[in-house]
Amino acid sequence: MKQYFDLDEWNIIEEGFNPETNEISESIFSIGNGYMGQRANFEEEYSGPHLQGSYVAGVYYPDKTKVGWWKNGYPEYFAKVLNSTNWIGINVKINGEVLDLGKSTIKEFKRVLNMKDGYVERFFVAVLKNGNEVKVHAKRFISMTRKEIGAIKYSITPVNFHGKIEITPYLDGDVINSDSNYEEKFWDEVSSDVNPFEGYVMLKTKKLDFYISTYMTYELTKNGKTLAPKVDLLKKEKYISNTASIDCRENDEVVIYKYVANTSSRYYAVDKLAEVTRELSTRAKKDGFEVLAKEQAKAWNHKWKESDIIIEGDVAAQQGIRFNIFQLNQTYTGKDERLNIGPKGFTGEKYGGSTYWDTEAYCLPFYLSTADEKVSRNLLIYRYKQLDKAIENAEKLGFSNGAALYPMVTMNGEECHNEWEITFEEIHRNGAIAYAIYNYINYTGDKYYLGEYGVEVLVAISRFWTQRVNFSKAKNQYVILGVTGPNEYENNVNNNWYTNKIACWTLEYTIEAINYLNETNPRRLDELKKKLNFQKDEMDKWKDIIDNMYYPIDEKLNIFIQQEDYMDKEQVHVKDLDKRHLPLNQNWSWDRILRSCFIKQADVLQGLYFLEHEYDIETLRRNFEFYEPRTVHESSLSPCVHAILAAKIGDYDKAYEMYLRTSRLDLDNYNNDTEDGCHITSMAGTWMAVVQGFGGLRVRDSKLIINPFIPKHWTSYSFKIMFRGALLNIRITNDEVNIINESSKTVDLLICEKTYTLKGNENISIHYKNSLIYA
């Protein structure tokens, strides 16, 4: 762990330039708006290490699977969100020499991500090989109000020379994904055109026929006055540019304002794409950079009012949580139910930008509490609309009767992950889909969802579990064999406790959902039974499995065992490892990892987090105290679960340690992999660590529960949540909980084990100590 950036409550600040960590910074300073995104690449040419990345949401490519040998059921491709047209490009020549920080002497360099107003900017002073010294200030953002628009202000000032500055704004669609399995380029040109001060490139994917159009307009000024120089035009395959030559003297400021519109055939007819992007880009240019920047600041101000967490007394913690919330808000807006949340968002290519179970397990709680109910509902509908594909996935593996296995990785509902121990074995993902339905309904009270969409999904998943279990005569119980749990440092194990538990819980919840419909909407239930060809004896089978499932338990330690034979491993704690071995996945062979007791991420503890209400505090404590010392947290999804459970059992120092790790995972590059992109889905876990961990927020029986504590060196912290039409501002100090109801909706609360009713537009202050009322 290193501190790469200055500590600041609202900004990520990089002072000085280190080429060796540039790709880390490109990830950290990425920007987006839920519709498209951009890594923090330089506008000007750069010959040093970098990962070019411009992404358009929902546009992907089925890259042919590359494996050592084929297995029946393998997906034929891995879906990848594509690196698309490089729209930020502005090449610069100073008296004939290319401005390239990889070949220049850098006297000053500063990069800032302004999270409050939603933009990234750079300041640098560089000396070229010809001795010319130049000062550059670049600022850009992707609009939150005009989803297709990206805007750049790029200022160049001669410091010690006069002469010619050549400025070349361009669009380049001749790009490649660094993770292409066969080094294939995925785009063909459809059309392009270039004229003075404008131009466009339209591309089409070689498969699936996604079209994107990228249109640029721009303007030039010198010392504040608009220029209209003669420009040289260039057009070649997938590329267009303008080049303007401007005479300058020392301290003259030349500025290019570049306005780019990106959109795809997912939103407009193909024959309208060029026209639409031209109109959008032209309108942005007409309104101007400052107007767009003010719109951006206003939009982000609204976002922060809904979702900010304020921490007093700990700048590192404050910066960490705001960075995580910022990335979440610019990755997914919930306005398009066809979209989901990739593990890297718009910050890199790893994991293909596809959908994982992370969304349901970690992201849903954030959006439930910080956005309109429709946003989280759309995340569920995304899975419902892919139910047919989930049934197809199960059929490919030999399942029948409408059983559904949701994919580990997907863009369109098809499984596209091609590591056997994940694709075929990590079936616990089905449980996360089911749990998300419960979580959504429990939080919102929207039980109508069950009849509309939920029961269909639950029945299909339950049918899968029914066929995936088998009855062991030796144990005289049901077992689930050959699985990988959340801890991916174990493969092909038998009776993973979490998998067995979430399978039976799903069966229980499906029965509960069917019974609810039978009582409240029997007509709808009859319709579903006919549609699903549902037989009564299916529920009898589910009950039998629930009553007779085998769970590995160590009776001496009185804990749940991660899987059968786990206790045969040499039991070593992480603290006893030489630090040079960490992270294990970068220093140990896979064989050595699999034979060890070390845990990549919460596994048993994942189940205890989900189903905490089923267990007493001592059960949680015993299992936490056994598994936490063995967990290396080499998955970004792990620390938040440990933070929440540590807070629940009163291990507040461990809760804070795990919070800081999850909140600064990318900022401090804990796992030595931030250069691949930020861990977006786990960022929602950071929010969970504060709100569910420190704040003790739960929902039970339609009541909002708060059992808080405050880290010992914090002065206070506060967060806002939306709950069933109410907007609550919750502030916690060392001895007081203050809640302001910023809506007209009355809310029932259970705070530190006492019940309160908070009417609309009123507030309540409650003294507490160690989560118990004392005054």
Side-chain angles (χ1 to χ4, degrees):
M1 187 273 286
K2 300 176 183 177
Q3 184 178 320
Y4 293 85
F5 309 107
D6 295 351
L7 296 179
D8 185 277
E9 292 185 350
W10 278 109
N11 300 286
I12 310 300
I13 302 169
E14 179 185 28
E15 294 275 8
F17 181 63
N18 181 355
E20 294 180 2
T21 60
N22 181 54
E23 291 180 80
I24 293 172
S25 296
E26 287 179 337
S27 298
I28 295 295
F29 292 85
S30 296
I31 53 175
N33 65 358
Y35 182 85
M36 61 178 174
Q38 174 65 51
R39 279 176 64 85
N41 309 121
F42 298 160
E43 289 86 359
E44 74 279 356
E45 186 173 325
Y46 180 59
S47 58
H50 66 288
L51 174 62
Q52 187 67 40
S54 303
Y55 311 105
V56 178
V59 175
Y60 69 97
Y61 188 84
D63 196 12
K64 184 179 177 182
T65 297
K66 190 173 185 178
V67 294
W69 69 94
W70 198 264
K71 295 179 178 66
N72 289 335
Y74 254 178
E76 296 181 358
Y77 68 90
F78 189 85
K80 293 176 178 176
V81 170
L82 297 186
N83 187 13
S84 60
T85 303
N86 176 11
W87 60 271
I88 66 171
I90 301 172
N91 283 341
V92 178
K93 286 186 177 180
I94 307 294
N95 285 327
E97 185 172 333
V98 173
L99 174 59
D100 178 351
L101 292 187
K103 300 177 179 178
S104 303
T105 300
I106 302 172
K107 295 181 69 174
E108 298 176 32
F109 183 94
K110 185 176 184 179
R111 181 159 32 186
V112 178
L113 179 65
N114 184 312
M115 299 181 288
K116 187 175 184 180
D117 295 329
Y119 64 83
V120 63
E121 61 184 338
R122 278 186 304 143
F123 311 83
F124 67 83
V125 177
V127 180
L128 283 67
K129 289 184 178 179
N130 61 13
N132 292 165
E133 185 173 330
V134 63
K135 179 170 64 177
V136 172
H137 178 197
K139 177 179 177 180
R140 73 169 178 252
F141 56 87
I142 294 177
S143 175
M144 297 294 285
T145 59
R146 310 185 190 199
K147 66 180 187 292
E148 299 90 352
I149 295 297
I152 302 170
K153 178 183 179 182
Y154 192 94
S155 163
I156 311 163
T157 302
V159 175
N160 68 347
F161 68 91
H162 62 270
K164 289 189 182 295
I165 297 178
E166 289 183 20
I167 301 176
T168 303
Y170 66 87
L171 302 175
D172 184 8
D174 190 23
V175 294
I176 189 169
N177 274 49
S178 67
D179 64 351
S180 171
N181 284 341
Y182 298 92
E183 299 183 0
E184 178 185 8
K185 292 185 177 180
F186 300 141
W187 296 103
D188 287 326
E189 180 179 307
V190 177
S191 62
S192 64
D193 196 18
V194 61
N195 292 292
F197 300 96
E198 63 181 326
Y200 83 96
V201 172
M202 187 187 297
L203 306 175
K204 178 180 77 69
T205 54
K206 292 180 177 180
K207 297 178 183 176
L208 302 184
D209 289 346
F210 286 111
Y211 290 76
I212 65 164
S213 178
T214 305
Y215 206 106
M216 76 169 186
T217 57
Y218 69 96
E219 57 187 338
L220 293 163
T221 68
K222 185 169 79 171
N223 299 327
K225 294 183 179 180
T226 301
L227 300 176
K230 181 180 177 181
V231 296
D232 295 327
L233 309 179
L234 177 61
K235 176 182 173 182
K236 57 184 181 180
E237 186 181 9
K238 307 177 194 174
Y239 179 97
I240 61 99
S241 70
N242 278 200
T243 299
S245 182
I246 302 167
D247 291 322
C248 295
R249 304 190 66 82
E250 288 183 19
N251 299 318
D252 283 345
E253 183 186 32
V254 177
V255 180
I256 176 172
Y257 298 91
K258 185 177 181 182
Y259 308 92
V260 180
N262 284 290
T263 195
S264 75
S265 53
R266 300 177 75 254
Y267 298 96
Y268 299 97
V270 172
D271 61 352
K272 299 292 185 183
L273 284 177
E275 177 186 342
V276 167
T277 49
R278 182 180 186 278
E279 289 175 357
L280 292 169
S281 177
T282 301
R283 190 180 309 149
K285 178 184 174 183
K286 181 181 178 182
D287 292 339
F289 189 87
E290 296 307 319
V291 168
L292 295 177
K294 287 178 181 177
E295 290 177 0
Q296 181 79 342
K298 185 177 180 180
W300 272 104
N301 180 259
H302 179 71
K303 286 281 187 187
W304 287 116
K305 282 184 177 179
E306 291 180 340
S307 58
D308 192 19
I309 290 178
I310 300 171
I311 297 170
E312 295 181 320
D314 190 337
V315 177
Q318 177 68 87
Q319 184 185 51
I321 189 63
R322 281 194 172 132
F323 176 70
N324 284 259
I325 293 170
F326 177 80
Q327 290 290 354
L328 285 164
N329 279 327
Q330 68 173 6
T331 298
Y332 181 76
T333 64
K335 294 177 181 177
D336 186 343
E337 65 188 31
R338 298 171 298 173
L339 298 178
N340 208 281
I341 306 157
K344 296 292 184 182
F346 296 119
T347 69
E349 299 171 11
K350 193 173 182 180
Y351 306 122
S354 302
T355 302
Y356 287 65
W357 67 286
D358 308 17
T359 293
E360 286 75 22
Y362 299 92
C363 296
L364 183 69
F366 172 79
Y367 293 105
L368 276 171
S369 292
T370 65
D372 187 276
E373 186 178 298
K374 292 178 181 177
V375 173
S376 49
R377 203 174 204 267
N378 277 347
L379 286 173
L380 269 62
I381 290 172
Y382 175 90
R383 293 293 193 177
Y384 173 79
K385 289 190 171 182
Q386 295 181 353
L387 178 57
D388 288 346
K389 291 288 188 182
I391 292 172
E392 286 181 22
N393 291 335
E395 288 174 347
K396 290 176 183 177
L397 300 183
F399 295 87
S400 60
N401 190 35
L405 175 59
Y406 275 92
M408 187 69 184
V409 180
T410 193
M411 288 296 295
N412 65 354
E414 285 184 295
E415 177 63 78
C416 63
H417 197 286
N418 48 40
E419 295 175 357
W420 67 270
E421 68 274 14
I422 306 300
T423 308
F424 301 148
E425 293 193 345
E426 203 162 337
I427 55 176
H428 68 81
R429 59 191 186 255
N430 252 10
I433 308 299
Y435 185 82
I437 296 171
Y438 160 80
N439 205 7
Y440 167 79
I441 293 171
N442 182 57
Y443 193 92
T444 65
D446 179 17
K447 290 190 175 182
Y448 183 74
Y449 185 84
L450 283 174
E452 192 175 9
Y453 301 114
V455 164
E456 286 187 64
V457 173
L458 291 170
V459 167
I461 292 174
S462 292
R463 285 172 166 171
F464 170 83
W465 288 125
T466 304
Q467 296 173 50
R468 187 58 173 81
V469 305
N470 64 276
F471 190 80
S472 166
K473 290 184 179 180
K475 287 183 169 63
N476 199 33
Q477 288 179 291
Y478 289 98
V479 295
I480 303 180
L481 308 178
V483 302
T484 296
N487 171 25
E488 292 170 340
Y489 287 176
E490 301 275 4
N491 299 150
N492 200 35
V493 302
N494 295 333
N495 294 308
N496 171 260
W497 182 88
Y498 171 69
T499 303
N500 290 20
K501 182 63 184 178
I502 203 67
C504 285
W505 176 88
T506 301
L507 298 177
E508 290 175 349
Y509 184 57
T510 306
I511 293 170
E512 180 185 322
I514 290 171
N515 289 339
Y516 172 80
L517 276 189
N518 189 46
E519 294 172 5
T520 61
N521 195 349
R523 180 179 296 179
R524 176 57 178 159
L525 180 58
D526 286 342
E527 291 172 355
L528 288 171
K529 284 181 176 179
K530 290 176 183 177
K531 180 179 180 180
L532 303 175
N533 191 26
F534 184 78
Q535 306 299 315
K536 184 183 182 303
D537 62 359
E538 291 188 65
M539 288 178 64
D540 294 335
K541 180 67 173 178
W542 297 347
K543 291 174 183 177
D544 188 48
I545 294 170
I546 293 165
D547 292 339
N548 295 286
M549 176 60 75
Y550 170 73
Y551 298 102
I553 295 172
D554 187 300
E555 294 182 359
K556 183 178 179 180
L557 297 174
N558 200 8
I559 60 170
F560 306 126
I561 298 301
Q562 184 175 267
Q563 75 267 347
E564 282 192 276
D565 303 326
Y566 177 78
M567 297 304 291
D568 290 341
K569 295 170 179 281
E570 182 184 6
Q571 297 298 318
V572 182
H573 288 187
V574 177
K575 67 179 177 61
D576 297 323
L577 275 177
D578 189 317
K579 291 291 187 288
R580 64 188 174 85
H581 293 291
L582 299 172
L584 298 183
N585 59 21
Q586 295 173 25
N587 292 289
W588 280 15
S589 69
W590 193 243
D591 169 74
R592 189 177 182 185
I593 288 174
L594 291 175
R595 288 186 287 107
S596 80
C597 72
F598 297 117
I599 299 168
K600 180 183 179 185
Q601 69 187 81
D603 195 302
V604 168
L605 299 187
Q606 181 72 44
L608 294 180
Y609 161 68
F610 272 169
L611 305 176
E612 169 198 292
H613 55 284
E614 295 188 6
Y615 301 98
D616 62 38
I617 198 74
E618 289 308 315
T619 299
L620 300 178
R621 188 189 314 281
R622 285 193 303 272
N623 282 276
F624 183 86
E625 290 179 351
F626 180 82
Y627 285 109
E628 210 296 316
R630 293 161 172 79
T631 305
V632 290
H633 299 293
E634 288 175 13
S635 165
S636 63
L637 302 174
S638 186
C640 65
V641 172
H642 284 240
I644 294 165
L645 289 175
K648 178 70 177 179
I649 65 174
D651 189 346
Y652 299 145
D653 288 341
K654 177 59 71 173
Y656 177 75
E657 175 194 336
M658 290 292 100
Y659 161 74
L660 206 60
R661 178 165 183 152
T662 189
S663 72
R664 300 195 63 85
L665 182 78
D666 291 310
L667 289 174
D668 296 338
N669 195 21
Y670 266 90
N671 290 342
N672 296 327
D673 59 0
T674 304
E675 66 273 10
D676 296 329
C678 296
H679 298 81
I680 301 300
T681 47
S682 73
M683 290 179 172
T686 304
W687 179 92
M688 288 159 52
V690 174
V691 176
Q692 297 182 2
F694 301 169
L697 184 82
R698 305 289 191 276
V699 176
R700 297 280 181 262
D701 301 323
S702 298
K703 277 192 177 69
L704 199 66
I705 300 170
I706 300 172
N707 284 302
F709 87 93
I710 184 168
K712 56 191 175 186
H713 55 291
W714 290 11
T715 305
S716 72
Y717 64 99
S718 63
F719 53 88
K720 289 187 178 183
I721 60 164
M722 298 180 185
F723 179 67
R724 302 192 181 186
L727 177 61
L728 305 179
N729 187 338
I730 301 168
R731 184 172 185 268
I732 296 160
T733 67
N734 287 306
D735 60 359
E736 188 175 71
V737 180
N738 183 265
I739 304 176
I740 303 171
N741 189 343
E742 297 181 358
S743 68
S744 59
K745 188 85 172 177
T746 297
V747 182
D748 290 328
L749 303 167
L750 185 64
I751 306 174
C752 301
E753 301 177 8
K754 284 189 93 172
T755 301
Y756 301 87
T757 297
L758 183 59
K759 294 181 179 180
N761 302 307
E762 293 188 357
N763 69 81
I764 187 172
S765 292
I766 299 157
H767 292 283
Y768 79 99
K769 185 176 183 180
N770 296 325
S771 298
L772 297 174
I773 299 294
Y774 71 90

